[in-house]
Amino acid sequence: MKLNEIRTFIAVADAQSVQEAGNRLGLTQSAVSRLIQRLEAELGVVLFDRQTKPLALTRDGELALAHARRILAAASDFADAFAGSAEPRGLLRLGTAHVLTALTTGRPLDELRAGFPGLTLRLHSDWSNPLIEQVRSGALDGAVILLCEEQAPPDDLPARRIGTEPVNIIASPDDASADLAAMNQRGWVLQPNGCRYREALHQALAPLGLQPNVTVEAYDQGLLVSLVARGVGFGLAPMGLIAPIPGAAAVRPLDLPDFRMAVTIWLIQSRTTGRIGPVFDRLEDALRREMATGSRLHCHPNWPKEQASLLHSAAE
């Protein structure tokens, strides 16, 4: 019985899908299936009911999962005992929320590569809730996630608060400020369901008896910003976080009393990180500097004074 079999079993149980577990682990679907079959043969039990969709654990599988999590945690503790001051090496599996990709993969990523040449980085983009589960299961070593301002990360994972950003309705320079109902009639350019901005918009429109009129839906934040700049529709974004995106200076925030939202960026990591602990220290510092730079240097001259002030205070 090998640790990679146990780690794969936990990933499949959490994802409830062999294919999705493979995506998270960087393995092919057939490789994941072989590892699960090998573990089942070694244990002499069937871990998954393969007739269900999504994939469900058998009773033996549920019992095995509890033991598997303890074994993986114990293995991490064992590695931590010898962490010492050795230079971090090997594979770092880092997740990032979709809307934080531009923030994370810019200068912070360059700093990690320059500061830890023995480290290989594997990046994975997803919504924040799945990223939390992947860190908890050990499929990821850490993740940069986005939560609503009043939310906090789970208590069982070490977390570092990077900063808070206001979320604005964004528009092209030619779009006049209007009320939410008029904007909704024109249409929205948003990420798919699962996006926290979209959920907040849904709540803001509900008292008006309206559902979000989404005209374009895409994960790519750069594409969404460019569509807003071209007047295709209205969008939602924290201006300080989209600052690294080419063309972000071409959109402007609209200050509407009917829509108020702020998000907090967190860096979470697995319970035990071994020799890669210093990497998260460097990443935290780099993310803080990047956010401060984005908030201060990318204020559009046509932004409302209140918005510029809020961005400055959020970065401090």
Side-chain angles (χ1 to χ4, degrees), residues 8 18 28-38 40 50:
T8 302
V18 171
T28 63
Q29 188 171 346
S30 59
V32 172
S33 296
R34 284 195 300 272
L35 289 168
I36 296 299
Q37 290 166 3
R38 191 180 304 162
E40 288 180 324
R50 291 168 172 80

Side-chain angles (χ1 to χ4, degrees), residues 6-18 20-22 24-25 36 48 54-57 61 65-66 68-69 72 126 129-140:
I6 295 173
R7 185 176 291 109
T8 302
F9 166 54
I10 293 173
V12 174
D14 288 340
Q16 296 181 289
S17 163
V18 171
E20 177 59 25
R24 297 178 183 182
L25 296 171
I36 296 299
F48 293 99
L55 204 59
L57 288 165
L65 181 61
R69 293 194 192 280
L72 205 59
D126 207 332
N129 285 340
L131 289 175
I132 291 171
E133 292 307 315
Q134 290 166 54
V135 173
R136 181 179 281 130
S137 72
L140 292 174

Side-chain angles (χ1 to χ4, degrees), residues 3-310:
L3 283 178
N4 65 329
E5 296 171 357
I6 295 173
R7 185 176 291 109
T8 302
F9 166 54
I10 293 173
V12 174
D14 288 340
Q16 296 181 289
S17 163
V18 171
Q19 181 177 358
E20 177 59 25
N23 293 338
R24 297 178 183 182
L25 296 171
L27 299 174
T28 63
Q29 188 171 346
S30 59
V32 172
S33 296
R34 284 195 300 272
L35 289 168
I36 296 299
Q37 290 166 3
R38 191 180 304 162
L39 182 60
E40 288 180 324
E42 292 171 344
L43 295 175
V45 299
V46 176
L47 297 172
F48 293 99
D49 181 352
R50 291 168 172 80
Q51 304 303 314
T52 62
K53 211 168 187 180
L55 204 59
L57 288 165
T58 61
R59 289 190 177 181
D60 286 330
E62 292 174 355
L63 178 62
L65 181 61
H67 286 292
R69 293 194 192 280
R70 287 196 292 271
I71 291 170
L72 205 59
S76 296
D77 288 339
F78 180 70
D80 268 7
F82 300 94
S85 58
E87 177 187 348
R89 305 185 65 85
L91 178 65
L92 175 68
R93 301 159 301 170
L94 182 65
T96 176
H98 293 303
V99 296
L100 299 177
T101 302
L103 173 75
T104 306
T105 59
R107 280 174 291 192
L109 181 60
D110 292 340
E111 286 195 28
L112 289 188
R113 293 176 62 241
F116 304 99
L119 207 62
T120 299
L121 276 79
R122 178 183 294 161
L123 293 174
H124 172 66
S125 179
D126 207 332
W127 299 119
S128 292
N129 285 340
L131 289 175
I132 291 171
E133 292 307 315
Q134 290 166 54
V135 173
R136 181 179 281 130
S137 72
L140 292 174
D141 298 304
V144 187
I145 63 169
L146 196 73
L147 298 177
C148 294
E149 189 177 21
E150 66 277 6
Q151 292 179 307
D155 294 336
D156 60 325
L157 295 176
R160 313 175 189 211
R161 182 181 176 277
I162 303 300
T164 300
E165 288 282 334
V167 178
N168 278 97
I169 296 172
I170 57 174
S172 74
D174 300 326
D175 279 328
S177 182
D179 58 36
L180 272 179
M183 290 180 178
N184 197 58
Q185 186 173 7
R186 172 81 175 278
W188 302 93
V189 176
L190 301 174
Q191 289 197 326
N193 283 326
C195 174
R196 297 185 186 278
Y197 310 162
R198 183 164 173 164
E199 293 170 3
L201 177 65
H202 180 86
Q203 293 174 6
L205 289 171
L208 304 176
L210 298 173
Q211 295 284 333
N213 173 27
V214 181
T215 56
V216 178
E217 188 177 78
Y219 285 105
D220 188 338
Q221 190 77 56
L223 172 62
L224 296 177
V225 169
S226 69
L227 292 173
V228 171
R230 286 154 48 193
V232 174
F234 297 95
L236 297 170
M239 299 304 298
L241 297 185
I242 66 170
I245 297 175
V251 300
R252 66 189 184 95
L254 301 178
D255 187 22
L256 265 70
D258 294 339
F259 185 84
R260 287 284 185 267
M261 181 186 184
V263 289
T264 303
I265 297 87
W266 295 84
L267 173 60
I268 62 171
Q269 61 193 75
S270 59
R271 190 175 64 85
T272 52
T273 54
R275 298 178 189 271
I276 62 172
V279 178
F280 288 100
D281 296 335
R282 179 75 64 90
L283 180 58
E284 177 186 5
D285 292 341
L287 288 170
R288 288 182 185 277
R289 288 196 301 272
E290 188 69 4
M291 281 190 63
T293 300
S295 296
R296 289 184 169 89
L297 298 184
H298 297 273
C299 287
H300 194 282
N302 295 325
W303 288 9
K305 291 181 179 179
E306 296 83 357
Q307 172 67 15
S309 174
L310 185 54

